[in-house]
Amino acid sequence: MTKPYYITTAISYPNGPPHIGHAYEVIATDAIARFHRLMGRDVRFQTGTDEHGLKMAQAAEKRGIAPQQLADEMSIQFIGMCDKLNISHDRFIRTTEADHHAASQAIWQAMETNGDLYLDKYEGWYSVRDEAYYDESELIEAEGKGGSKERLSPQGTPVEWTVEESWFFRLSKYQEPLLKIFRETPEFLQPESRRNEMIKFVEGGLRDLSMSRTSFDWGVKVPGSDKHVMYVWIDALTNYLTGLGYPEQTDLYPKFWSKGGDIVHVIGKDIVRFHTVYWPAFLMSAKLPLPKHVYGHGFVLNRGVKMSKSVGNVVDPINLAETFGVDQLRYFLLSDVVFGKDGTYSPEMIVTKTNADLANNFGNLAQRSLSMIAKNCDGKIPAPGTKTDADEQLITDLQAAFEEIQQLMQDSNVPIHAAIDLIRERLSATNQYFADSAPWALRKTDPERADTVLYYTAEAIRRLAIMLQWVIPESCAKMLDMLSQQRDNRGFAHFDTNIQVGLDIPAPTAVFPRLEVPASEGEG
């Protein structure tokens, strides 16, 4: 019996609308979740919004509305993005929900019971934009207005000197346990470059962490205190437990967290410290199991430039999906962006990539071969004759690719792009098989051989659609519908169950229309 699989994105900070980076993270996580479901695993997938903290309070104040109203308005946009992009999450969590407040207070009390929280005064540098504290040694100097020098965080965000009473967490106590995790379980944090960064950070020495604020009240209340709210990251990170019912012993919690299932967090590289230093330390303090795997992916750049409001190049993912198609956007981001590294986007790149791989390669193959079956075989899957070496090679290579993809996707590096490359190679090979066999010509000279080619082409299309449906689910569902495949026969367990001879199939329709770059999107 396979272990349960719990996978989460980072929860998005909704002080602005979703952008392509948010879309990339939920699409990649959704693809991984769908893959493991196809493997037959019991998967739980969670995403959501992180709605507390000073940034939200300040953004609401600027608009003259309550923080809760801003949170309500903005979270709807992130929910809408998930719906538009066909994200198969089991729960969309909001940190303003009552059960999340209860979970955050429960883990706080568990850390307090362990003696890891104490009251003191915080004096130091704080970045409102990052919701993060920084040591003096981490700051960088930049030239401000009028040529004056100003301090910035390592992310280039402004910092301010903060002095206030605060609860502290004994993070320094967990320095050696954290180093032990990084050194002995390299799969805990990938890619390796991120792990090396965190080892260097922890080796530099950990200071106890300020865990509460008194200068604003938009957050989860510290248990037993009227004036302290929790530091936004203890609140935010606890969402992964909230979604399973913690601290209650629900059906979900022991299955997906307490009993050693696979726990996976997919996050941006800019928040690795919070997820792989602070979060495991909090969990160790609360005597809770740690995630098995944290993956810090890269950024998606607009024509090679990091997106920002000030530059004016922030991309609306819903507009992209409506312009080019949901599956086309999913395919491009998953195949063209190397998981773990920064990638770049442009309308031209989406059009070129998806036309080549989907419209020309997959769509054209299906349209031509299934149209021949409709016309020449009364719309029924023909019976194959004697199998040739070419037929055998086609199916053998598909099987080998399928097995290799399964191995790749269970590697701690999760090389999504490499798995898709293998499928693309098989698409090209199937097209070559169909072209070389030329069943349209065989129909006149050797109709039995023509039927055999059409049978194995249809079988190859079925297998390709099963292999690719975790990437482009809606399009592959249409492809499998055209092959009259039952809904419960589309998992990986049915990969080598050959298509039924004599099966009625409908007249084929175009699944992947050719795209063009909208005039307003062109270069120049």
Side-chain angles (χ1 to χ4, degrees), residues 21-69:
H22 296 118
Y24 174 68
E25 183 165 298
V26 291
I27 287 171
T29 311
D30 177 71
I32 298 168
R34 287 178 182 273
F35 183 92
H36 284 276
R37 287 195 197 104
L38 288 165
M39 291 281 291
R41 299 189 70 175
D42 191 353
V43 173
R44 176 84 177 173
F45 169 24
Q46 180 168 299
T47 188
T49 43
D50 171 17
E51 299 174 12
H52 291 133
L54 184 55
K55 268 192 300 190
M56 284 291 285
Q58 290 179 343
E61 186 179 7
K62 284 181 183 177
R63 288 186 50 191
I65 60 176
Q68 184 66 61
Q69 183 181 341

Side-chain angles (χ1 to χ4, degrees), residues 374-408:
K375 180 180 178 181
N376 298 291
C377 307
D378 297 324
K380 300 178 187 297
I381 297 296
T386 304
K387 184 187 287 188
T388 66
D389 289 345
D391 306 332
E392 183 69 46
Q393 193 68 51
L394 177 71
I395 301 304
T396 298
D397 288 347
L398 283 164
Q399 184 67 40
F402 176 60
E403 291 170 3
E404 189 174 350
I405 288 163
Q406 290 178 79
Q407 292 176 351
L408 280 172

Side-chain angles (χ1 to χ4, degrees), residues 347-357:
E348 296 85 358
M349 292 171 71
I350 293 178
V351 168
T352 300
K353 180 74 172 176
T354 58
N355 277 348
D357 292 2

Side-chain angles (χ1 to χ4, degrees), residues 9-11 13 46 49-52 93 95 100 104 220 230-242 274-275 279 282:
T9 67
I11 51 176
Y13 207 77
Q46 180 168 299
T49 43
D50 171 17
E51 299 174 12
H52 291 133
I93 193 165
T95 56
H100 178 69
S104 300
V220 178
M230 292 183 194
Y231 173 43
V232 70
W233 276 102
I234 177 62
D235 162 8
L237 291 160
T238 302
N239 92 87
Y240 306 129
L241 296 173
T242 306
F274 305 100
H275 282 80
W279 182 226
F282 297 161

